Amino acid sequence: MEIRFQTKEESNKQQQEDFLKLSKTERFYSFLRLSERVSRFPVKNKEDRNKDNFLIVIKSS
């Protein structure tokens, strides 16, 4: 593990350069991994989408 002391701008530039060095396929998979991690990120206020909905059931004869 390497520890670097740099500004936020330098860090962002380095991340961008590293990302652009990847092939298109590797970039895509990197994006998918990031999406997966973000989807598992805990959130404080979960919205209940079905809170104000109601269900109409029509029974067939």
Side-chain angles (χ1 to χ4, degrees):
M1 178 177 195
E2 182 179 334
I3 298 175
R4 294 184 207 171
F5 295 98
Q6 55 192 8
T7 65
K8 184 175 182 176
E9 290 80 18
E10 291 171 337
S11 175
N12 288 342
K13 185 177 181 193
Q14 183 65 44
Q15 288 178 16
Q16 182 180 19
E17 288 174 2
D18 292 343
F19 182 75
L20 293 175
K21 287 179 186 176
L22 300 174
S23 70
K24 290 181 181 182
T25 305
E26 290 172 321
R27 289 182 204 173
F28 178 71
Y29 284 122
S30 176
F31 170 75
L32 291 179
R33 282 191 300 273
L34 178 62
S35 298
E36 169 99 20
R37 284 186 288 177
V38 168
S39 71
R40 288 186 274 141
F41 195 80
V43 292
K44 186 174 182 180
N45 298 324
K46 274 196 170 180
E47 182 179 325
D48 186 7
R49 293 182 180 180
N50 297 321
K51 178 181 156 191
D52 296 326
N53 293 342
F54 61 94
L55 184 62
I56 298 176
V57 179
I58 301 175
K59 295 181 180 180
S60 59
S61 302

